[in-house]
Amino acid sequence: MTQALTDRHALALHRARATAFFMQEEAVAEVQDRLSEVNRTFTKPVVVTGFPHLWPDFPTIADDEVLALQPETHDLVINALTLQWANDPVGQLVQCRRSLQPDGLFIGLLFGGQTLTELRVSLAQAEAEVMGGLSPRVLPMAEIRDLGGLLQRSGFALPVADSFTKTVLYRDAFHLMRDLRAMGEGNALAARLRHPTRRAVLARAAEIYAQNYASPDGLIRATFEIICLTGWAPHEGQQKPLRPGTAAARLEDALKAAAKDS
């Protein structure tokens, strides 16, 4: 059996101590914006989340490995920034897909591969210099180019994957790491070191971070990439994609015509 990526017990403890929810609130706002663009009223929604208090208007379930979902019971399933912690993300997507009624909508948000690149690079360089090697510290995150394929493998129709980034400024790397703990996003990797990191590693990482990623006013930047996945449960009335080479007009021409009409 493959070793689990995430220590679910440690993740639950981190979330229980969380006090900063600005990225989770960003996810709530993004979902609301996307739903406002869908000409549809959803009556049987459910949200998969580690922070149910942020979704007071929706029924919620925990992001356990086996989700508390029944087949074809929902017309909307939202997965709110939990997939990056899933030991089996494809399995999670399949469970969400099976719980949708025909023509039901799935919206999933997760942290993408550009998230915390500055911190990951700084920690890796510092640990290599001070300790002579690397240890698992930051959650490996999926790239957007891979996630559209995962939606298709999971049985979704009309799959779309897109992303946006948020840049947050901090006083220093220690401020950022404290904020990550406050967000409930501390190191919950199953393979993490089980003893405190040497202060020399953290101090050197902070130096590298400041040298490479400081703004003119001396603050450091931290990048958060949120990938948004959407897909529909198949239904015979849905639009079918054309076979390659059968389109009657080029996308470029259609976009130019739309811009001219507007």
Side-chain angles (χ1 to χ4, degrees):
M1 180 179 295
T2 304
Q3 183 180 5
L5 172 70
T6 301
D7 181 340
R8 303 294 305 184
H9 177 67
L11 179 61
L13 292 177
H14 292 172
R15 287 174 172 173
R17 293 193 291 262
T19 58
F21 305 105
F22 64 96
M23 291 307 300
Q24 294 288 336
E25 290 166 349
E26 190 74 36
V28 174
E30 182 67 22
V31 168
Q32 291 173 338
D33 286 346
R34 289 174 181 255
L35 289 177
S36 69
E37 298 174 357
V38 179
N39 186 23
R40 176 88 168 268
T41 299
F42 297 98
T43 60
K44 297 179 181 178
V46 67
V47 180
V48 183
T49 177
F51 301 99
H53 69 280
L54 297 177
W55 299 88
D57 299 327
F58 290 82
T60 63
I61 62 170
D63 61 319
D64 299 323
E65 296 298 329
V66 178
L67 301 174
L69 295 171
Q70 298 300 317
E72 297 191 10
T73 54
H74 301 285
D75 57 3
L76 172 65
V77 175
I78 299 165
N79 195 303
L81 289 182
T82 71
L83 277 171
Q84 70 272 3
W85 287 113
N87 285 310
D88 181 11
V90 175
Q92 294 268 304
L93 290 172
V94 169
Q95 292 177 68
C96 292
R97 156 68 191 88
R98 290 176 176 171
S99 74
L100 284 171
Q101 299 169 346
D103 206 31
L105 174 63
F106 171 78
I107 300 177
L109 286 83
L110 68 157
F111 288 120
Q114 301 304 309
T115 300
L116 300 176
T117 53
E118 305 93 345
L119 178 62
R120 284 185 282 173
V121 169
S122 300
L123 281 171
Q125 182 178 336
E127 192 166 30
E129 291 180 8
V130 176
M131 305 295 293
L134 302 178
S135 60
R137 294 187 178 278
V138 181
L139 184 72
M141 298 172 191
E143 298 292 340
I144 190 171
R145 62 178 177 268
D146 302 321
L147 291 170
L150 291 186
L151 284 171
Q152 289 183 312
R153 285 175 53 191
S154 304
F156 287 101
L158 307 174
V160 175
D162 60 90
S163 69
F164 64 92
T165 60
K166 292 288 182 181
T167 300
V168 184
L169 298 178
Y170 290 93
R171 293 189 302 273
D172 52 37
F174 296 105
H175 184 200
L176 167 59
M177 288 184 277
R178 285 193 296 270
D179 210 21
L180 291 174
R181 287 192 293 270
M183 293 164 58
E185 296 290 341
N187 189 351
L189 293 173
R192 70 191 185 281
L193 295 177
R194 301 307 172 103
H195 57 76
T197 300
R198 287 180 56 181
R199 292 182 61 86
V201 172
L202 297 178
R204 179 59 183 142
E207 291 177 356
I208 295 168
Y209 207 134
Q211 290 168 1
N212 296 327
Y213 305 108
S215 60
D217 56 5
L219 299 176
I220 62 165
R221 69 177 187 270
T223 300
F224 293 87
E225 179 190 25
I226 295 182
I227 296 177
C228 306
L229 307 177
T230 58
W232 296 82
H235 183 265
E236 61 182 10
Q238 287 172 345
Q239 178 184 358
K240 299 296 189 297
L242 294 173
R243 297 192 310 276
T246 62
R250 297 185 306 160
L251 176 60
E252 180 183 0
D253 296 334
L255 293 175
K256 287 182 178 178
K260 182 178 180 181
D261 292 341
S262 61

